[in-house]
C-alpha cells in the first residue's frame, strides 16, 4: 500500500505574525494572538500554519533581519508563549512551520558585530563576504552587483573594506563556504525541532552560495529587478543542493525517532521548472513554492502552459508540486486580477474566487496567505509617511512596495482596529487599516455563506474528503473546451473548469456543480467562474 506523506497535499496557511492578531494592545500582532486564532484556522480547514519570522530583530525588514535565531523577540512574546502555541496547535491537529532565514542575518547579529570589530582577514570576517574595494583608494565596490531592494549590494566599513548584502545593508549575507555557517544552522534546526515544530519555510532557498570569485555581473540591473531575474552569480549555485541534503538528513533523523515527518519547503526562484525540480529531488527539499502560477496573467492559455510545464518537469519526476497564488511579498489576488469593488464584488474578486478553486483542484500542496480567505484587496492608498517597506526607503518608488498586502487583518466591528487589537483606547495598528475593511471582517465573512471564507472552507472540506483531490493519483488530464476555458479531470471523474472570459459558455459536463466560485446553473459556466463536478468523463 502506498504510504501517504501528509506534506504532499497539505494546505498550509501563512500567518504574517505582526498582522494577524494582537493580544497586548500595542498594535502589532504576536504569538499569543496567533494562538488565539488557531481555532479559526482549524475551522477553516487548513492542515498547518507557516509563521513569519518572530526572532529577535531590529525589524529593518520586519524580522527577515535576524539577530538571534534561537529566541523570540519581546515584540511577539517569548519562548514560553511559543511553547503554549505549539501545545495548542498539536491539540488541534495543526502543523507548525517556522520561517528560517539562512541567506543573511541582521547587522546586529553578534557574529556580524564581531566581524565589524575585527581586522581585515580575520576569522570573524570570514563568516561573511568582506572584500577590498576597487580603484586606487578602494573607494569603488568590489563588483557591480545590485541589491534586490535597490542600490548597490555592497557597503563600506570604517576601515575601508566592503561587505556584501543582497537585500539591505542591515542584512549582511552569510558566507556559506565557511564551515561554521552550515554547522550553526544545523544546530538552529535542532533547537526548534526539539521544541516540536513540524518543519521550516526557507527564505531565499536558491541563494546562500555566491560565486567564489565574486566577479562582475553581465547585467546587474536586470539581476536586481525581480527574483525571477536574480543574479546567477549569487543565486542557484550548485553547492546549495548540499545544504538541502544535510537539512533533509536532519529532518529524517527526527522522523526516525518518532515517525512524525518534518517538512522543508523552499522559496526557490529559478528561471525554469526543470531547475525548480532539482530542489525537490528525493534527498533534498520536500517542497518548493512554484511561483509561476502566481505570476501568470489571467489568461487560459497562460495558465495551461504554466500548469503543463509544472506537471511535466516537476511532478513528472515524482516530486510534489507546491502551488501558491499570494504571499507577503505580492499584490493581493483580488487587486492583481482586476479592480476590486465594494463588498468583495467586482471582476478581481470573481477571478480570485475562481483561481482559488483552480489551485485547490491541482495535484500537490497549496499555501494560502492570510486574508485571502476573506477576499481582502491590496491597500493601495497608504500615504508615504506610514510606509515601512525597505524597498520604498531604498528606491523611493512605490512600484514594488509590499506594505499594501501586510495591513493588519480585520476581525470584527465597523471601525479600526476592527478587533485586531485589544480595546486600548487610541491604539493604532502598525499599518493603518482603511475604513472599507469593515466589509471584509472575519465575523461578517463567517455569517455570509456566499463569502470568500465559505468558498475556501467548502473547497478545503471537499479536498479532504474526495480521493480524487489533493495528491490523489498525482495526475491531471486536460479536456477539450471552448476558447478561454480550462478544464481538466482529476482521478476518477472529478472535473474542474474555469471560464477565463467574462461571457458565459456551455459547461464541459452536464449537471449541477459540486462547488462553484459563483452562481453556476446546470449546464452553464458563467464568465470568470470556476466549478467542480463529479462526472463520468
Amino acid at each position: 500500500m502506498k504510504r501517504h506523506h501528509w506534506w504532499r497535499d497539505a494546505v498550509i496557511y501563512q500567518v504574517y505574525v505582526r498582522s494577524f492578531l494582537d493580544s497586548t494592545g500595542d498594535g502589532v500582532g504576536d504569538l499569543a494572538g496567533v494562538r488565539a486564532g488557531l481555532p479559526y484556522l482549524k475551522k477553516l480547514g487548513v492542515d498547518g500554519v507557516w509563521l513569519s519570522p518572530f526572532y529577535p530583530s531590529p525589524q529593518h525588514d520586519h524580522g527577515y533581519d535576524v539577530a538571534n535565531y534561537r529566541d523570540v523577540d519581546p515584540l511577539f512574546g517569548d519562548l514560553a508563549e511559543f511553547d503554549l502555541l505549539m501545545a495548542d496547535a498539536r491539540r488541534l491537529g495543526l502543523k507548525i512551520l517556522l520561517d528560517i532565514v539562512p541567506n543573511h542575518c541582521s547587522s546586529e547579529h553578534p557574529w556580524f558585530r564581531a566581524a565589524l570589530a575585527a581586522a581585515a582577514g580575520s576569522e570573524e570576517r570570514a563568516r561573511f563576504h568582506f572584500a577590498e574595494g576597487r580603484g586606487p583608494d578602494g573607494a569603488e565596490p568590489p563588483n557591480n552587483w545590485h541589491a534586490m531592494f535597490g542600490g548597490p549590494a555592497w557597503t563600506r566599513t570604517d576601515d575601508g573594506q566592503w561587505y556584501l548584502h543582497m537585500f539591505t545593508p542591515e542584512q549582511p549575507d552569510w558566507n556559506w563556504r565557511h564551515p561554521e555557517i552550515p554547522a550553526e544552522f544545523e544546530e538552529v534546526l535542532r533547537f526548534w525541532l526539539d521544541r516540536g515544530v513540524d518543519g521550516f519555510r526557507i527564505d531565499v532557498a536558491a541563494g546562500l552560495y555566491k560565486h567564489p570569485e565574486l566577479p562582475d555581473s553581465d547585467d546587474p540591473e536586470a539581476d536586481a529587478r525581480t527574483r525571477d531575474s536574480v543574479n546567477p552569480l549569487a543565486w542557484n549555485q550548485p553547492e546549495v543542493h548540499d545544504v538541502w541534503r544535510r537539512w533533509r538528513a536532519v529532518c529524517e533523523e527526527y522522523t526516525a525517532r518518532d515517525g512524525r515527518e518534518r517538512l522543508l519547503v523552499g522559496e526557490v526562484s529559478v528561471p525554469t521548472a526543470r531547475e525548480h525540480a532539482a530542489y525537490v529531488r528525493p534527498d533534498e527539499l520536500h517542497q518548493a513554492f512554484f511561483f509561476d502560477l502566481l505570476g501568470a496573467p489571467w489568461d487560459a492559455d497562460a495558465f495551461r502552459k504554466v500548469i503543463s510545464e509544472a506537471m511535466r518537469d516537476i511532478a513528472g519526476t515524482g516530486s510534489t508540486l507546491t502551488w501558491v497564488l499570494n504571499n507577503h511579498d505580492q499584490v493581493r489576488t483580488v487587486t492583481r486580477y482586476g479592480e476590486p469593488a465594494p463588498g468583495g464584488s467586482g471582476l478581481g474578486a470573481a477571478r480570485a474566487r475562481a483561481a482559488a478553486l483552480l489551485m485547490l483542484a491541482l495535484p500537490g500542496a497549496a499555501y494560502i496567505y492570510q486574508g485571502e480567505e476573506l477576499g481582502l484587496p491590496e491597500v493601495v492608498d497608504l500615504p508615504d509617511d506610514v510606509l515601512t517597506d525597505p524597498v520604498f526607503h531604498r528606491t523611493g518608488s512605490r512600484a514594488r512596495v509590499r506594505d499594501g498586502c501586510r495591513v493588519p487583518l480585520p476581525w470584527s466591528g465597523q471601525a479600526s482596529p476592527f478587533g485586531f487589537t485589544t480595546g486600548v483606547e487610541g491604539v493604532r495598528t502598525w499599518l493603518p487599516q482603511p475604513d472599507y475593511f469593515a466589509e471584509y471582517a472575519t465575523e461578517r465573512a463567517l455569517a455570509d455563506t456566499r463569502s470568500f471564507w465559505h468558498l475556501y472552507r467548502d473547497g478545503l472540506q471537499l479536498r479532504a474528503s474526495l480521493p480524487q483531490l489533493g495528491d490523489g493519483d498525482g495526475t491531471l488530464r486536460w479536456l477539450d473546451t471552448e476558447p478561454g476555458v480550462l478544464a481538466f479531470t482529476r482521478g476518477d471523474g472529478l472535473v474542474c473548469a474555469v471560464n477565463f472570459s467574462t461571457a458565459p459558455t456551455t459547461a464541459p459536463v452536464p449537471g449541477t456543480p459540486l462547488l462553484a466560485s459563483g452562481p453556476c446553473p446546470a449546464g452553464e459556466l458563467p464568465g470568470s467562474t470556476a466549478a467542480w463536478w463529479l462526472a463520468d468523463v
Side-chain angles (χ1 to χ4, degrees):
M1 182 177 178
K2 181 181 177 182
R3 180 184 177 188
H4 175 71
H5 300 281
W6 69 267
W7 44 268
R8 286 190 64 91
D9 56 5
V11 178
I12 305 295
Y13 185 96
Q14 181 191 355
V15 165
Y16 194 69
V17 175
R18 64 188 297 124
S19 295
F20 186 70
L21 188 60
D22 169 27
S23 72
T24 62
D26 64 357
V28 179
D30 47 48
L31 292 182
V34 176
R35 184 158 67 96
L38 290 180
Y40 162 80
L41 298 179
K42 179 67 175 180
K43 186 174 183 178
L44 180 62
V46 299
D47 299 299
V49 180
W50 150 27
L51 301 175
S52 64
F54 51 75
Y55 316 108
S57 164
Q59 303 294 318
H60 290 296
D61 189 23
H62 297 148
Y64 286 91
D65 49 323
V66 181
N68 180 353
Y69 290 87
R70 294 180 177 85
D71 205 348
V72 176
D73 194 300
L75 182 67
F76 303 119
D78 54 27
L79 284 171
E81 183 58 49
F82 176 81
D83 291 340
L84 291 173
L85 168 62
M86 284 301 309
D88 280 7
R90 189 75 62 230
R91 178 176 55 81
L92 291 168
L94 292 171
K95 310 290 187 183
I96 295 292
L97 308 182
L98 303 193
D99 208 322
I100 192 165
V101 189
N103 180 73
H104 50 266
C105 65
S106 166
S107 55
E108 296 187 16
H109 190 285
W111 283 10
F112 188 72
R113 293 171 69 178
L116 289 179
S122 63
E123 277 298 303
E124 290 84 356
R125 290 201 172 185
R127 295 168 175 156
F128 302 89
H129 296 278
F130 281 82
E132 299 296 334
R134 297 193 290 194
D137 57 356
E140 297 297 323
N143 65 29
N144 65 351
W145 295 3
H146 282 214
M148 298 291 296
F149 290 173
W154 295 89
T155 290
R156 199 174 194 188
T157 62
D158 291 342
D159 65 3
Q161 278 205 312
W162 298 73
Y163 69 88
L164 179 69
H165 49 83
M166 294 305 298
F167 290 89
T168 73
E170 293 82 18
Q171 295 167 288
D173 281 39
W174 293 108
N175 177 13
W176 274 80
R177 299 183 191 281
H178 191 289
E180 287 188 67
I181 306 308
E184 168 68 6
F185 273 93
E186 288 184 30
E187 290 306 309
V188 169
L189 294 185
R190 293 177 185 280
F191 176 86
W192 294 107
L193 289 169
D194 288 342
R195 299 193 92 91
V197 304
D198 298 284
F200 302 91
R201 178 266 184 184
I202 305 164
D203 190 58
V204 195
L208 280 60
Y209 281 87
K210 279 65 180 172
H211 190 290
E213 298 176 7
L214 301 175
D216 277 346
S217 170
D218 292 336
D219 190 359
E221 292 186 4
D223 294 337
R225 275 199 290 270
T226 71
R227 291 192 184 187
D228 295 325
S229 58
V230 290
N231 183 344
L233 301 170
W235 249 251
N236 203 23
Q237 294 286 300
E239 297 93 334
V240 75
H241 295 282
D242 293 332
V243 177
W244 309 138
R245 293 186 185 100
R246 291 194 298 268
W247 286 27
R248 180 67 175 259
V250 171
C251 289
E252 298 295 344
E253 175 189 326
Y254 278 78
T255 298
R257 294 179 190 175
D258 59 16
R260 186 160 57 88
E261 291 184 292
R262 275 70 166 187
L263 168 65
L264 298 173
V265 54
E267 180 193 34
V268 173
S269 300
V270 290
T272 68
R274 289 185 186 276
E275 289 171 286
H276 178 110
Y279 284 83
V280 287
R281 288 177 285 202
D283 61 344
E284 294 193 37
L285 303 177
H286 301 81
Q287 299 176 344
F289 295 120
F290 187 66
F291 292 120
D292 292 38
L293 192 66
L294 183 158
W298 185 256
D299 176 82
D301 291 339
F303 267 63
R304 178 164 180 160
K305 179 177 185 292
V306 163
I307 294 167
S308 295
E309 289 179 353
M311 293 297 299
R312 181 193 68 209
D313 295 336
I314 302 173
T317 69
S319 299
T320 189
L321 276 158
T322 306
W323 306 99
V324 57
L325 288 171
N326 200 239
N327 61 36
H328 64 291
D329 289 329
Q330 304 295 331
V331 174
R332 286 193 176 275
T333 53
V334 166
T335 303
R336 197 169 72 241
Y337 288 146
E339 192 67 28
S345 60
L347 188 60
R351 290 172 171 175
R353 291 170 65 93
L357 277 197
L358 169 64
M359 179 179 72
L360 293 177
L362 293 171
Y367 282 69
I368 301 168
Y369 178 52
Q370 67 177 40
E372 292 293 291
E373 83 284 7
L374 302 176
L376 278 182
E378 187 84 354
V379 182
V380 297
D381 55 355
L382 293 168
D384 287 358
D385 62 354
V386 305
L387 293 178
T388 63
D389 193 336
V391 173
F392 174 72
H393 294 290
R394 286 183 60 78
T395 65
S397 170
R398 299 175 65 102
R400 293 166 54 199
V401 169
R402 302 164 294 170
D403 284 333
C405 69
R406 301 175 176 185
V407 174
L409 295 184
W411 290 86
S412 60
Q414 298 298 314
S416 183
F418 297 112
F420 167 75
T421 191
T422 56
V424 178
E425 187 174 352
V427 67
R428 294 184 179 181
T429 55
W430 72 276
L431 282 172
Q433 301 163 304
D435 292 341
Y436 62 76
F437 262 31
E439 301 170 7
Y440 300 91
T442 299
E443 68 173 4
R444 185 167 179 167
L446 290 171
D448 181 1
T449 57
R450 301 165 299 176
S451 69
F452 267 81
W453 192 91
H454 282 273
L455 177 71
Y456 270 93
R457 197 276 307 270
D458 293 348
L460 289 170
Q461 286 185 339
L462 285 172
R463 180 183 166 98
S465 63
L466 293 175
Q468 298 96 325
L469 291 172
D471 198 30
D473 62 5
T475 64
L476 174 154
R477 179 170 63 87
W478 294 108
L479 300 177
D480 293 331
T481 60
E482 298 294 324
V485 176
L486 278 189
F488 56 86
T489 63
R490 292 292 320 281
D492 185 17
L494 191 287
V495 176
C496 173
V498 185
N499 186 354
F500 283 78
S501 75
T502 56
T505 189
T506 302
V509 293
T512 302
L514 188 66
L515 181 64
S517 62
C520 191
E524 182 179 309
L525 186 60
S528 308
T529 298
W532 296 351
W533 293 265
L534 285 175
D536 185 14
V537 291

